[in-house]
Amino acid sequence: MKTQHWFRSRRVRGIRVAVVGAGLLALALSGCAGQGSGGGEDGGSADGKVSLTFWNGFTGPDGPALQQVIDDFNASQDDVEVTAEIMPWDTLYQKVLTAVAGNDGPDIIAMSAGRMPQFAQQGMFEGVDDYYEDSANDSAALAPAAIEASVFDGVNYGVPVNFTPMMMYYNKDLFEAAGLDPEAPPTTWDEFAAMVPQLTVDDNGDGKPEQYATALGDHETVPVFMSLPWGTGGGVVSDDGKTSMLGEPASIEALDFWVDLVKNQKASPLGLSGADADKLFTTGKAATEIVGPWMTTGFDEAGLNYGIAAPPAGPDSDAILADVVSMGITSGADDATKQAAYQFFKYWNSKEGQITWSSGSGFPPNRADVADQVTSSPYPAVFGAADVVDRSKILLAGVAAGGTIGETIFWPTLQKALNGQGTVEELFSAASEKVQAELDK
Amino acid sequence: MTLTDVAPPQPRTSVAPRRRARGPASRRQLTAWMFLAPSLIVLVAFTLYPMAQAVYLSLTDYNLIKAAQFIGLDNYVELVSDPAFWNAFWNTVLYAAVVTPVTVVLALLFAVMLNQAFFGRTFVRTAIFLPFIVSLGIIAIAWSFLLDPNIGLLSYWLGQIGIVTEQGWLTDPRFAMPAVMMVGVWKFVGFYMVIYLAGLQSIPADLYEAAKIDGTNPWQRFRNVTLPLLSNQTLLVSVLALIATLQAFDQIYVMTRGGPFFTTETLVMLIYREGFQELRFGYASAISFVLLIFVFILSMVQYGWQRRRAVTY
């Protein structure tokens, strides 16, 4: 084959270009270096107020309620100005460390108390024990479980934003259609299991039900599945957070029961994320869902005829999964910032603050002494009822490896079990060793 | 196209002495450096420095807030015996081994077809190229919706012809990897197609005429004229595609997050997880460096192998 010179080569000669490009680049580079002010540690502002940036993930209908409390606080005094930056939780977790390391982070960060130890261990938070020591802050009125949730290694790193048990929402219409009493939701695991054949409906017989008894997420979700071993006296880790319990017979028994229910009885679709589970219940394709009060508004807007009850109790324990969101102060805060943040914390957990928050968000108040004053919404009373709060338990409290245990051990192992890649016993026994290794790190 | 295509520096004696005499050597060098400066500054600031930094970090225990602790080769030692690393490694190899050839072959196929004149050609070309312009994150979200087992249009259509998955396509371990692979191919095939189209249009028509006179059929013309003359494009496209697939991240992050149970976790996903979720930036840097070496070696092998087939006009 012949090759051709069909490209006409062109010799470019005698070009003298001013180095405009380099100049522009230098400008661009210096521009980069100049950024990074705002937010951060300085905190002060022109009018003498301490300004605090508050990162949190209340993107739902609870966001306006949070903003309302902050507005009230800002209006109530002249020393501190709090500005909320609301973003999805996963975005917050991803951004926060780089922001703090770059000195451009928030002053106050809210996060699940379950995630706090991991970040506290990295040195991201200031201890706030002196906040609780100051009796003027009236911390005695707060639910003890909410306070203890943010303790890690003997130091408390957070003040509760909210404390909420997960309750079972059930679709009364679907119960009625299945011939079940819409006023008698299941109270035990066995009662629930007995209802599954009626509530899971495969109309066209293609093996994929059109309606499921429940919507139980197996990734990126409220860790309801992780809390199920409590029901038989098992758990993911021991209460002191030092020993893995996943391999114990009680935990295996519970997981076996639920994996069988989901996988073989088709009580729930496989592979649901939290958002998928919510969607399934919202669209009336799942008869029950165990979730927090933040979904109430969405279910109302969907026009669902639903009831709220305590989740079915296990044979040995009726513990209810609860979650606490705490707010902490980023490390390196100066004294003025810290005191300003304490002022805000105090207001947040004051009677006034809690009534506003609870009424607007549907979360139960952090303090029992205002429960009867939250009357504009029925849900805080349901979620904050004394017998519910007493049964509440926090998952992996104070365990620094909590996030890792969930993301890289529990959920993947559960997915394997649900996909039939081994028995519950062998999979979770192996997972238990990994959990122990994380705890020992 | 590459550095090696540039003519080697001439021996000193061949440089025109009269020209050199015009100004001192230092001045000529200065001019050269000034022309090079913009690229060099960018290269050093945004490539070499971060790379050196990553190599250093890979020898440390570092979480962004506390100062980095030098721990020598510990991260690399851990890496060798880390099942998560090997899982991600083999997933990456599988992804690249499937997606690279499929993308390149499809791109060539589309290019040859769309090089013919027919009604609506521009539309089809645009349709194939369009995914490349759209952000991969958005594409991945769109596909996640299409594949959603409950509300997904594609799941619905597949259901109509009797193909049902009880769980979602993206959470079923059998289908998750093929799904992210498909999106990867769909996204990039248009870009490579355009490179091939450019190549096709630069093949002189007289070659085809000569081949026709010799009595060849279309397949022979494709095999003996088109394909060899496109080998420059094939080299470029396959090296680019391989590097891109070895760094697959966006569609996986959005569509599956590496799940179910890490069946779609690639090396870049693992780097992200170790760095930004586990806050182990030293370990993540070590994985990045291993990936860099791996990509470098594969690219060099591929380049060396295919360059022998390169055509010069």
Side-chain angles (χ1 to χ4, degrees):
Chain A
M1 185 188 303
K2 224 172 112 187
T3 56
Q4 295 189 342
H5 286 272
W6 57 276
F7 275 127
R8 200 181 303 158
S9 72
R10 227 186 253 172
R11 190 174 292 168
V12 186
R13 286 197 291 169
I15 302 172
R16 292 277 154 91
V17 181
V19 197
V20 178
L24 283 176
L25 184 86
L27 276 177
L29 286 176
S30 61
C32 291
Q35 280 172 10
S37 56
E41 311 300 319
D42 48 348
S45 67
D47 51 1
K49 279 190 178 182
V50 181
S51 48
L52 300 175
T53 319
F54 177 24
W55 281 18
N56 64 78
F58 293 99
T59 48
D62 39 14
L66 175 109
Q67 191 60 53
Q68 185 60 49
V69 182
I70 292 172
D71 290 345
D72 291 351
F73 170 72
N74 288 339
S76 73
Q77 39 73 46
D78 297 325
D79 306 327
V80 185
E81 176 91 18
V82 175
T83 313
E85 281 186 35
I86 302 179
M87 62 196 88
W89 287 114
D90 55 345
T91 309
L92 184 145
Y93 291 127
Q94 285 158 24
K95 277 174 72 176
V96 75
L97 194 70
T98 35
V100 172
N103 250 350
D104 196 23
D107 304 290
I108 307 171
I109 307 166
M111 63 169 67
S112 168
R115 291 296 296 270
M116 216 166 212
Q118 188 190 8
F119 288 94
Q121 193 184 38
Q122 310 294 335
M124 204 182 79
F125 285 114
E126 290 275 327
V128 295
D129 282 326
D130 49 340
Y131 174 83
Y132 291 107
E133 280 156 20
D134 186 348
S135 59
N137 291 330
D138 199 18
S139 302
L142 300 177
I147 295 176
E148 281 154 26
S150 49
V151 176
F152 168 65
D153 252 1
V155 179
N156 203 332
Y157 289 96
V159 173
V161 177
N162 68 41
F163 166 76
T164 182
M166 306 300 150
M167 296 286 272
M168 183 177 69
Y169 289 74
Y170 66 100
N171 188 320
K172 291 186 179 180
D173 292 344
L174 296 185
F175 268 63
E176 207 153 2
L180 298 166
D181 180 358
E183 299 310 322
T187 58
T188 65
W189 288 7
D190 287 336
E191 278 180 41
F192 176 75
M195 290 180 185
V196 167
Q198 282 145 287
L199 291 173
T200 292
V201 183
D202 183 5
D203 279 327
N204 56 10
D206 63 355
K208 182 184 187 298
E210 280 68 53
Q211 179 193 313
Y212 292 89
T214 189
L216 196 50
D218 70 10
H219 65 287
E220 291 171 56
T221 184
V222 180
V224 174
F225 225 120
M226 267 176 111
S227 72
L228 289 170
W230 287 339
T232 50
V236 178
V237 299
S238 59
D239 284 343
D240 63 3
K242 292 204 161 48
T243 318
S244 167
M245 290 177 71
L246 265 185
E248 286 184 13
S251 307
I252 300 287
E253 185 198 333
L255 289 164
D256 227 3
F257 180 87
W258 283 94
V259 166
D260 175 70
L261 216 50
V262 171
K263 183 179 141 200
N264 301 328
Q265 313 291 319
K266 302 196 193 310
S268 163
L270 301 178
L272 291 184
S273 69
D276 296 334
D278 296 340
K279 201 161 58 193
L280 211 65
F281 187 79
T282 311
T283 52
K285 288 179 164 180
T288 63
E289 184 189 5
I290 298 173
V291 72
W294 55 86
M295 283 313 296
T296 310
T297 314
F299 296 156
D300 283 339
E301 281 168 2
L304 291 183
N305 175 23
Y306 63 87
I308 303 176
D316 293 316
S317 160
D318 61 359
I320 296 176
L321 172 68
D323 188 34
V324 175
V325 172
S326 298
M327 45 194 164
I329 301 171
T330 47
S331 55
D334 57 29
D335 209 46
T337 307
K338 214 173 166 182
Q339 290 313 318
Y342 283 180
Q343 234 177 303
F344 173 65
F345 294 168
K346 182 184 173 184
Y347 183 85
W348 180 271
N349 281 312
S350 68
K351 288 186 178 179
E352 205 183 340
Q354 281 301 302
I355 292 169
T356 310
W357 166 243
S358 249
S359 310
S361 67
F363 281 102
N366 291 340
R367 44 197 299 157
D369 56 356
V370 297
D372 56 340
Q373 294 175 53
V374 184
T375 48
S376 59
S377 159
Y379 305 109
V382 176
F383 280 83
D387 64 318
V388 172
V389 172
D390 288 346
R391 287 164 63 185
S392 296
K393 195 168 165 180
I394 289 164
L395 193 72
L396 293 166
V399 178
T404 306
I405 289 172
E407 295 303 318
T408 70
I409 303 174
F410 187 89
W411 296 118
T413 309
L414 176 69
Q415 288 163 357
K416 275 189 183 176
L418 290 171
N419 277 292
Q421 309 246 330
T423 68
V424 168
E425 183 167 7
E426 46 189 58
L427 289 172
F428 279 93
S429 300
S432 185
E433 285 171 28
K434 289 189 197 160
V435 170
Q436 191 60 52
E438 286 297 330
L439 294 175
D440 292 341
K441 263 184 191 170
Chain B
M1 190 199 323
T2 60
L3 285 174
T4 46
D5 291 344
V6 177
Q10 299 291 312
R12 279 180 158 232
T13 47
S14 75
V15 175
R18 233 175 265 157
R19 283 186 138 216
R20 275 197 80 188
R22 265 196 211 161
S26 63
R27 193 177 156 166
R28 283 172 51 79
Q29 279 187 353
L30 187 71
T31 313
W33 279 113
M34 273 172 69
F35 276 110
L36 285 172
S39 312
L40 280 179
I41 292 171
V42 171
L43 193 70
V44 171
F46 295 110
T47 306
L48 290 182
Y49 176 72
M51 256 167 70
Q53 188 77 6
V55 172
Y56 168 70
L57 283 181
S58 74
L59 304 173
T60 64
D61 185 5
Y62 181 49
N63 74 353
L64 274 186
I65 290 185
K66 292 178 195 161
Q69 294 233 330
F70 190 81
I71 53 166
L73 290 172
D74 283 8
N75 284 328
Y76 292 95
V77 173
E78 180 180 344
L79 197 138
V80 174
S81 58
D82 184 353
F85 169 76
W86 289 110
N87 172 57
F89 179 82
W90 290 116
N91 283 342
T92 308
V93 170
L94 175 69
Y95 184 90
V98 173
V99 173
T100 310
V102 169
T103 316
V104 173
V105 169
L106 271 183
L108 177 62
L109 210 68
F110 284 141
V112 170
M113 289 192 314
L114 295 177
N115 203 34
Q116 323 289 322
F118 64 90
F119 177 73
R121 180 174 76 164
T122 316
F123 173 78
V124 180
R125 279 186 185 179
T126 311
I128 296 178
F129 188 69
L130 204 60
F132 182 72
I133 314 172
V134 183
S135 139
L136 197 45
I138 291 168
I139 283 176
I141 292 172
W143 275 101
S144 303
F145 275 117
L146 287 172
L147 291 167
D148 187 289
N150 294 303
I151 59 162
L153 197 59
L154 202 62
S155 300
Y156 176 76
W157 286 340
L158 289 171
Q160 293 298 301
I161 56 169
I163 304 173
V164 274
T165 158
E166 199 188 319
Q167 51 182 314
W169 297 101
L170 298 177
T171 49
D172 189 318
R174 290 167 298 169
F175 300 116
M177 190 56 135
V180 294
M181 283 174 169
M182 180 198 67
V183 173
V185 171
W186 184 76
K187 156 92 179 168
F188 285 106
V189 76
F191 175 64
Y192 301 130
M193 175 191 78
V194 167
I195 295 178
Y196 269 129
L197 271 174
L200 281 173
Q201 283 165 7
S202 67
I203 297 176
D206 48 4
L207 288 179
Y208 289 107
E209 280 160 29
K212 265 184 198 162
I213 292 167
D214 287 344
T216 53
N217 62 29
W219 166 250
Q220 284 171 322
R221 285 197 290 280
F222 174 76
R223 178 74 192 78
N224 297 312
V225 180
T226 312
L227 214 50
L229 285 178
L230 281 178
S231 47
N232 287 337
Q233 281 75 26
T234 304
L235 171 63
L236 173 69
V237 161
S238 50
V239 170
L240 286 182
L242 182 75
I243 294 174
T245 52
L246 288 172
Q247 298 182 21
F249 175 75
D250 318 36
Q251 75 268 38
I252 296 171
Y253 177 76
V254 178
M255 292 174 72
T256 66
R257 300 246 166 168
F261 50 89
F262 306 122
T263 44
T264 57
E265 186 171 74
T266 58
L267 281 173
V268 183
M269 272 299 297
L270 180 67
I271 291 166
Y272 175 82
R273 174 157 74 86
E274 288 290 352
F276 291 94
Q277 288 178 350
E278 305 288 317
L279 314 179
R280 300 179 66 203
F281 289 91
Y283 191 59
S285 299
I287 304 171
S288 317
F289 191 60
V290 170
L291 177 64
L292 173 80
I293 299 288
F294 184 59
V295 171
F296 181 75
I297 292 172
L298 275 187
S299 306
M300 283 300 119
V301 168
Q302 201 183 13
Y303 180 72
W305 183 65
Q306 282 184 326
R307 200 168 60 120
R308 283 185 273 129
R309 289 165 176 73
V311 185
T312 44
Y313 292 97

